[in-house]
Amino acid sequence: MNFRVICTLAAAMAVQQAFAQAPVLTVADCQQMAITQNKKIKAAQYQIDAANAAVQSANAMAYPSIDGSVMGVYLGKPIGGALNGMIPEYFGSASVSVTQPVYAGGKIQLGKAAAAKGVSIQREQKALSEADVLFNVNKAYWQVVQVKEKIILAQKYQEMLQGLQRELKNAYDAGLIYKNDLLRVEVNLNEASLQLNQAHDGLVMAKLALAQVTGMAGQTDFNVADSVSGDFPEQAAPDLTAAAENRPEIRLLNRVLEAEQLQRKMLKADFLPTFGVTAAGMGAAGKGVNISNGKDLMASWYGLANISVPIFDWGKKAGKVKEQTLKIAARQQELDNTKELLGLEVQQAYLALNQSVKKIHTSRLSLEQAAENLKLANDRLKAGTITGKDVLEAQTIWQQAYSSTIDSKVEYRIQEAAYRKATGTLH
């Protein structure tokens, strides 16, 4: 065994080992990675965290607020020490105040409810993002499968052409055919080689697209577990109403509508009185700062009770309530319209899925007929009743039928994911 052979075998073993070590991913694997790693879903989770922070802030509105301040003052001549020392030359003071809202027209409780509703909205927004991402995962995954199957087809087609080339070369060398028959096959071989290279490049791009949506951006050292084999059943007619209610878009619009209704209640609360109390203590130290006895220390406190009653504002508050009422009516129309559109989307997805089943049946039949035609062409070539051009045409028909079969099966898998997304069952 010479050195070149040894190097070739070593390189082949290294490639085989690298291929064996590459992870093999299922659709479920890719979906799980997308849920934890996809940037769109991560951004949605940050929005939920921000909404939870807003809830904490709203809850804190019910508790008393405590404020403190410290101040130091020095007064130069002639102010400092004036009026027989009644104005101190220098002093420092500190104060602490506690304010407790007692009644604010229900705004505090409504604010808590609105903040909690904000969390619900962001959660539904995340569910909507997840549905979009999971569909894109399924689509990208099956496109990888599609390109992988096209590579297998390209290799089979190339082998067919090579076999035909050998037969025609032997016939040409024996003087049984003209060279143009052989050249025609060799031209197709060149095209098949180019198509195979393009398919390999397409596989890289398809893997990059799948890697991006699953959070593995830039990685291509993985394989997919599925092929185009399996069952492709028709789907029973869906319950359009139930399907629409399962959609995150509807749940999201319901939460937004509820938030708008809470906002109207908060605007109505502006018509109600508010009541709050404040207690504050203060102290000061400085030369003669106590104006009652001239001592250097002084301390005191005070309490306040405040009631605010709205009387007349030229209809500004009423106008805001009316505006919010109309916004709620608009949201309701948007919700109803979205339900109708989603119902149409479900129906369209259902029809497209079952249409892809018919395409699979048609493409399978065409492939069987193309395979039978190719067998007959090969037999007739050996019998000498047709030329290589006829076999080449039969091979091309078979290759196109095989490619259509791959496309129809992958289309079914993508339409299946689209139907599950439309019915809110894509998880």
Side-chain angles (χ1 to χ4, degrees):
M1 184 179 293
N2 59 36
F3 180 75
R4 179 177 296 177
V5 174
I6 293 174
C7 290
T8 302
L9 289 175
M13 290 177 64
V15 171
Q16 184 177 5
Q17 183 178 9
F19 181 80
Q21 291 177 348
V24 179
L25 304 177
T26 64
V27 176
D29 295 332
C30 294
Q31 290 184 158
Q32 184 58 40
M33 285 189 293
I35 291 296
T36 57
Q37 299 177 169
N38 182 271
K39 292 180 175 59
K40 186 176 181 179
I41 295 178
K42 283 184 176 181
Q45 182 58 50
Y46 280 126
Q47 294 292 349
I48 293 176
D49 295 340
N52 280 319
V55 169
Q56 295 177 357
S57 177
N59 290 338
M61 295 295 293
Y63 300 112
S65 59
I66 303 174
D67 298 297
S69 65
V70 178
M71 178 177 65
V73 178
Y74 177 83
L75 300 174
K77 300 296 183 180
I79 299 175
L83 301 178
N84 296 323
M86 293 183 64
I87 298 178
E89 183 178 356
Y90 55 86
F91 66 91
S93 67
S95 66
V96 176
S97 64
V98 179
T99 302
Q100 172 65 56
V102 178
Y103 179 71
K107 283 186 176 181
I108 294 176
Q109 294 302 322
L110 290 171
K112 291 180 181 180
K117 194 63 64 179
V119 175
S120 299
I121 289 173
Q122 293 304 326
R123 284 176 178 164
E124 297 301 342
Q125 186 65 57
K126 182 183 179 184
L128 181 59
S129 298
E130 286 179 350
D132 291 337
V133 168
L134 291 179
F135 173 72
N136 290 331
V137 167
N138 276 265
K139 184 177 179 181
Y141 181 91
W142 288 107
Q143 285 174 341
V144 172
V145 173
Q146 182 179 31
V147 179
K148 185 181 73 170
E149 294 290 334
K150 289 295 183 74
I151 289 175
I152 295 173
L153 169 60
Q155 291 170 339
K156 288 182 179 180
Y157 182 55
Q158 191 177 56
E159 290 171 2
M160 278 187 178
L161 290 172
Q162 290 170 345
L164 181 60
Q165 181 193 36
R166 287 191 295 269
E167 289 188 36
L168 295 181
K169 188 175 187 310
N170 292 335
Y172 172 73
D173 292 341
L176 300 177
I177 62 172
Y178 293 105
K179 191 174 183 180
N180 63 327
D181 278 346
L182 179 60
L183 292 174
R184 189 179 292 110
V185 175
E186 289 176 346
V187 168
N188 279 35
L189 260 176
N190 293 334
E191 293 179 356
S193 178
L194 177 60
Q195 291 174 0
L196 184 58
N197 289 332
Q198 291 174 338
H200 281 293
D201 292 340
L203 181 61
V204 173
M205 294 305 300
K207 283 186 174 183
L208 286 173
L210 179 58
Q212 193 282 325
V213 74
T214 54
M216 303 187 300
Q219 298 184 33
T220 58
D221 56 339
F222 63 88
N223 298 298
V224 292
D226 290 276
S227 64
V228 291
S229 61
D231 298 326
F232 303 88
E234 289 193 16
Q235 178 64 45
D239 183 345
L240 299 182
T241 302
E245 292 298 329
N246 286 333
R247 291 287 292 268
E249 292 94 329
I250 298 301
R251 298 196 303 269
L252 175 61
L253 287 175
N254 278 324
R255 300 295 87 78
V256 171
L257 181 59
E258 291 165 1
E260 296 282 11
Q261 291 168 342
L262 282 172
Q263 180 63 26
R264 181 173 60 181
K265 290 181 179 180
M266 293 184 71
L267 291 172
K268 285 185 174 181
D270 287 336
F271 290 95
L272 302 175
T274 60
F275 175 64
V277 294
T278 300
M282 65 188 71
K287 187 176 180 180
V289 72
N290 195 324
I291 59 175
S292 64
N293 55 24
K295 291 183 178 181
D296 294 340
L297 293 174
M298 181 178 68
S300 184
W301 68 277
Y302 64 89
L304 294 174
N306 179 63
I307 299 178
S308 177
V309 181
I311 298 176
F312 185 68
D313 66 352
W314 301 97
K316 287 189 292 185
K317 294 184 180 67
K320 289 181 179 180
V321 172
K322 183 178 180 181
E323 176 188 359
Q324 188 62 25
T325 301
L326 294 173
K327 286 183 178 180
I328 291 172
R331 286 289 186 187
Q332 185 63 56
Q333 293 300 313
E334 181 182 356
L335 175 61
D336 295 340
N337 184 62
T338 302
K339 286 182 179 180
E340 293 175 2
L341 292 176
L342 292 183
L344 292 174
E345 182 181 334
V346 172
Q347 186 69 22
Q348 183 180 14
Y350 159 71
L351 294 174
L353 178 59
N354 286 343
Q355 185 64 37
S356 66
V357 176
K358 296 179 176 65
K359 288 183 181 179
I360 291 173
H361 293 328
T362 302
S363 63
R364 279 175 173 169
L365 178 60
S366 297
L367 180 58
E368 291 173 0
Q369 293 170 340
E372 179 66 18
N373 179 60
L374 178 58
K375 181 180 180 301
L376 292 174
N378 284 322
D379 292 342
R380 293 177 65 188
L381 178 66
K382 291 176 182 178
T385 58
I386 62 173
T387 65
K389 178 182 178 182
D390 299 309
V391 176
L392 190 62
E393 182 180 351
Q395 288 180 343
T396 301
I397 293 173
W398 174 87
Q399 187 261 353
Q400 292 173 346
Y402 197 132
S403 180
S404 295
T405 301
I406 294 172
D407 292 340
S408 62
K409 290 180 177 180
V410 169
E411 179 184 342
Y412 176 93
R413 296 304 183 198
I414 294 176
Q415 293 294 350
E416 183 182 37
Y419 176 77
R420 290 168 57 201
K421 178 178 180 291
T423 54
T425 57
L426 182 61
H427 303 296

